[in-house]
Amino acid sequence: MLEKQSKKKSSIKNLIKDLEKTELIEVIIELTKIDRKNEKFIKVFILGSKENNHLNILTEAKEKLRKVFFGKSSLQNDRINLKNGRDIISEYSKILKGFSESIIDLKLYYVELGVEILVDWGDMYEAFYSSMESMLVNVCNDIFKNPDIYPDYSKRLNMLIEKTKDVGWGFHDFVCDTVCNLENRIGINDNEGDD
């Protein structure tokens, strides 16, 4: 798989290496016309050091996620299109490549929206819980790779524990265990306030 990707990158590199500047600009412009995601990616890639640009894109992604969970009204749908939500995370993770904290923020927001649904609407279907659980594990694994960022997320993670206290199906226990596991793995021992 990696060999295929490497060959693909090198073949593209070979295709564009001899292009004149104007030809390369034309290729890039055509890519942005094909798909708006390409335009966003190029802007983040080039303007990446400018904080506002990637934060605006993160805000846009969060707005799209919120619509997946809550639609245009606050009325409960029969089923939430969780695949659509995960697709948004996948799409924006590519666009925000190089901004790992923004990607973690977006993934955690997905779980927070799910918990908001659970608190507002009550018990959900099994696939819903599974999706929230796997995304939370993903978030914790991402934080574990860079434990220095844990303080930036600890309040939000602990808020998930607090908000899920009355949620059934073992979800609260799962959230507690997953966050505590992360804290243990990165060496944070918070024994005060344990019930």
Side-chain angles (χ1 to χ4, degrees):
M1 181 82 164
L2 289 175
E3 190 177 310
K4 263 187 178 179
Q5 288 176 341
S6 179
K7 284 183 182 179
K8 188 176 180 180
K9 284 181 185 176
S10 64
S11 66
I12 292 172
K13 201 176 206 177
N14 288 333
L15 281 173
I16 64 172
K17 73 177 181 179
D18 295 327
L19 292 178
E20 297 290 325
K21 182 179 178 180
T22 55
E23 293 171 318
L24 189 55
I25 290 171
E26 189 176 329
V27 168
I28 292 170
I29 289 171
E30 288 303 313
L31 278 172
T32 63
K33 289 178 184 176
I34 291 171
D35 194 332
R36 190 163 179 258
K37 290 183 278 189
N38 295 336
E39 180 182 351
K40 289 178 193 170
F41 174 79
I42 290 167
K43 284 180 179 178
V44 170
F45 187 82
I46 294 171
L47 303 172
S49 62
K50 296 188 177 177
E51 195 73 13
N52 284 345
N53 191 45
H54 92 271
L55 291 178
N56 289 340
I57 291 171
L58 177 62
T59 299
E60 178 183 304
K62 284 182 172 183
E63 288 169 1
K64 286 184 176 185
L65 274 181
R66 189 157 217 18
K67 284 181 184 172
V68 166
F69 282 87
F70 291 98
K72 294 183 181 180
S73 71
S74 61
L75 299 175
Q76 179 179 3
N77 299 323
D78 289 332
R79 290 213 177 225
I80 296 168
N81 189 341
L82 297 170
K83 182 187 179 324
N84 189 22
R86 287 179 166 273
D87 288 346
I88 289 168
I89 290 171
S90 178
E91 172 189 336
Y92 280 87
S93 293
K94 291 173 189 165
I95 293 169
L96 292 166
K97 184 179 177 184
F99 296 94
S100 59
E101 288 191 49
S102 291
I103 295 169
I104 294 168
D105 184 2
L106 186 60
K107 291 175 182 178
L108 183 54
Y109 186 66
Y110 176 91
V111 179
E112 290 168 331
L113 289 171
V115 169
E116 191 176 332
I117 291 285
L118 289 168
V119 169
D120 289 351
W121 297 347
D123 287 338
M124 296 295 282
Y125 45 97
E126 185 177 349
F128 184 90
Y129 290 104
S130 295
S131 186
M132 295 308 115
E133 290 171 356
S134 66
M135 189 63 72
L136 180 59
V137 167
N138 195 305
V139 166
C140 289
N141 287 336
D142 288 349
I143 293 171
F144 178 71
K145 291 174 189 171
N146 187 4
D148 293 340
I149 65 171
Y150 173 77
D152 298 337
Y153 299 97
S154 64
K155 190 174 190 176
R156 289 170 68 187
L157 290 168
N158 285 301
M159 187 62 69
L160 290 177
I161 293 171
E162 185 64 32
K163 286 185 173 184
T164 59
K165 279 187 177 174
D166 296 324
V167 175
W169 297 93
F171 185 67
H172 172 71
D173 293 335
F174 181 87
V175 171
C176 288
D177 291 346
T178 304
V179 173
C180 289
N181 184 8
L182 169 65
E183 291 173 344
N184 289 334
R185 287 169 43 194
I186 61 178
I188 294 173
N189 298 316
D190 183 28
N191 294 325
E192 50 187 82
D194 287 351
D195 296 321

